[in-house]
């Protein structure tokens, strides 16, 4: 199990929540309990896996990167790796959980899966409301997945992959139908998705547009145009927003000093980090930490 410390945000692997220590895939029904790691889930943590939970009864209050979600029945909740989670309130919950790692997607040997809207979560949403018909369809696919997962059938892995692929395709259709304001902005989408993945991986070290343009083998001008088309933001604005989010995560969820956070985010010194943070967040790092701890603790 990932160790939680006072100075760093813990990361839970899929094996940590698995009943059988499966590090790649977990499919199971939750019958009213609160699942494994219930105490740890109330502490700030990241996950190294994609997570889907179809809620039938019960609920909880959950935070994902400073956005609060009141978990309710007849809703599919989803998160992607590396986000910071905190469970604030929990009740006995019934539903079905599906979780898998990026390695599992790779083993499915279908590159289409990695580009599905729900895997990229391009609108950064975590709660998908369902009609009765949608819920019945997704529940049917999940229950077939649970049955295969717990079986020793021949071709079990192939059947599991088939059910999960179909589940992800159906969820992606619903995701786009609910969250896409229009069907435009598809041109350049692949490059933008590559950029967001790279930013997730490198923002702690690289803060300049040229770093990402070079890594993607495009000009800064082209990358900026695509980013503006896809997100409405310039590449610089996107990087600044993502950098400040990471700083806020560490200020809120860890006990690292401002100087230590500046070092972890690759700023040349704490004073420069303070200036950048205040310019972009409208407050100093210490003021942000104090205000939010008073509000949420």
């Amino acid at each position: 199990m990932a160790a939680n410390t006072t100075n760093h945000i813990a990361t839970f692997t899929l094996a940590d929540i698995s009943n059988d220590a499966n590090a790649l895939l977990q499919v199971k029904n939750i019958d009213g309990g609160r699942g494994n790691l219930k105490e740890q889930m109330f502490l700030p943590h990241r996950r190294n896996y994609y997570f889907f939970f179809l809620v039938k009864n019960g609920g909880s209050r959950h935070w994902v990167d400073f956005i609060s979600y009141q978990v309710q029945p007849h809703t599919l909740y989803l998160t992607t790796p590396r986000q910071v989670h905190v469970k604030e309130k929990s009740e006995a919950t019934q539903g079905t959980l599906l979780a898998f790692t990026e390695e599992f997607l790779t083993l499915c040997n279908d590159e289409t899966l990695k580009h599905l809207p729900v895997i990229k979560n391009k609108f950064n949403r975590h709660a998908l409301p369902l009609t009765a018909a949608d819920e019945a369809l997704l529940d049917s696919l999940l229950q077939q997945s649970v049955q295969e997962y717990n079986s020793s059938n021949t071709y079990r892995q192939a059947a599991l992959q088939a059910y999960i692929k179909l589940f992800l395709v159906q969820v992606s259709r619903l995701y786009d139908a609910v969250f896409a304001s229009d069907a435009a902005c598809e041109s350049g989408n692949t490059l933008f998705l590559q950029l967001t993945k790279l930013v997730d991986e490198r923002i702690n070290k690289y803060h300049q547009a040229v770093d990402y343009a070079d890594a993607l083998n495009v000009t800064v001008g082209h990358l900026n145009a695509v980013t503006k088309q896809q997100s409405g933001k310039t590449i610089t604005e996107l990087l600044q927003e993502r950098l400040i989010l990471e700083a806020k995560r560490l200020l809120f969820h860890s006990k690292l000093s401002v100087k230590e956070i500046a070092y972890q985010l690759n700023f040349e010194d704490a004073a420069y980090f303070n200036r950048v943070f205040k310019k972009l967040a409208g407050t100093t790092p210490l003021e942000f930490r104090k205000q939010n701890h008073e509000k949420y603790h």
Side-chain angles (χ1 to χ4, degrees), residues 213-247:
D214 287 348
L216 294 167
N217 198 30
V218 296
T219 66
V220 172
H222 179 60
L223 187 60
N224 190 64
V226 168
T227 304
K228 185 76 173 176
Q229 179 193 55
Q230 294 290 319
S231 68
K233 303 168 187 171
T234 67
I235 178 64
T236 298
E237 289 169 340
L238 184 145
L239 292 175
Q240 289 175 339
E241 182 180 274
R242 186 62 182 77
L243 180 62
I244 291 304
L245 172 60
E246 195 63 28

Side-chain angles (χ1 to χ4, degrees), residues 26 106 227 252 270 285:
Q26 177 79 177
T106 300
T227 304
F252 186 76

Side-chain angles (χ1 to χ4, degrees), residues 22-34:
N22 191 321
L24 301 181
L25 173 67
Q26 177 79 177
V27 194
K28 63 181 178 181
N29 289 316
I30 305 297
D31 60 1
R34 294 186 293 179

Side-chain angles (χ1 to χ4, degrees), residues 111-121 165 168-169 172:
E111 284 299 311
T112 303
L113 295 177
K114 296 182 179 181
H115 300 288
L116 287 174
V118 73
I119 293 298
K120 293 301 181 182
N121 198 1
K165 286 180 184 180
L168 293 175
V169 168
S172 290

Side-chain angles (χ1 to χ4, degrees), residues 25-174:
L25 173 67
Q26 177 79 177
V27 194
K28 63 181 178 181
N29 289 316
I30 305 297
D31 60 1
R34 294 186 293 179
N36 295 345
L37 297 175
K38 61 184 180 182
E39 297 304 324
Q40 291 91 330
M41 289 300 180
F42 286 88
L43 299 173
H45 62 278
R46 301 179 196 263
R47 301 169 181 174
N48 80 331
Y49 50 88
Y50 297 90
F51 177 88
F52 297 85
F53 189 66
L54 178 59
V55 182
K56 298 177 180 177
N57 289 295
S60 64
R61 188 173 178 84
H62 193 86
W63 292 79
V64 181
D65 282 335
F66 305 99
I67 300 174
S68 174
Y69 296 90
Q70 183 65 47
V71 176
Q72 298 176 342
H74 316 300
T75 306
L76 181 71
Y77 290 88
L78 56 113
T79 62
T80 54
R82 292 177 287 276
Q83 295 173 304
V84 176
H85 305 255
V86 181
K87 188 180 287 292
E88 181 181 337
K89 178 184 178 183
S90 183
E91 303 171 3
T93 304
Q94 291 180 324
T96 306
L97 176 154
L98 167 65
F100 52 83
T101 63
E102 291 179 337
E103 184 179 354
F104 172 81
L105 286 181
T106 300
L107 292 175
C108 287
N109 197 31
D110 185 346
E111 284 299 311
T112 303
L113 295 177
K114 296 182 179 181
H115 300 288
L116 287 174
V118 73
I119 293 298
K120 293 301 181 182
N121 198 1
K122 56 185 179 181
F123 300 116
N124 194 32
R125 302 299 180 91
H126 302 288
L128 181 62
L130 301 173
T131 65
D134 292 336
E135 182 178 1
L137 175 58
L138 296 183
D139 186 47
S140 174
L141 292 170
L142 287 174
Q143 294 313 313
Q144 291 176 89
S145 300
V146 170
Q147 185 175 348
E148 283 294 336
Y149 186 86
N150 293 323
S151 78
S152 55
N153 295 337
T154 55
Y155 311 115
R156 169 180 174 270
Q157 192 65 25
L160 266 173
Q161 290 180 4
Y163 287 132
I164 291 170
K165 286 180 184 180
L166 186 52
F167 173 83
L168 293 175
V169 168
Q170 294 293 346
V171 173
S172 290
R173 289 173 174 171
L174 295 174

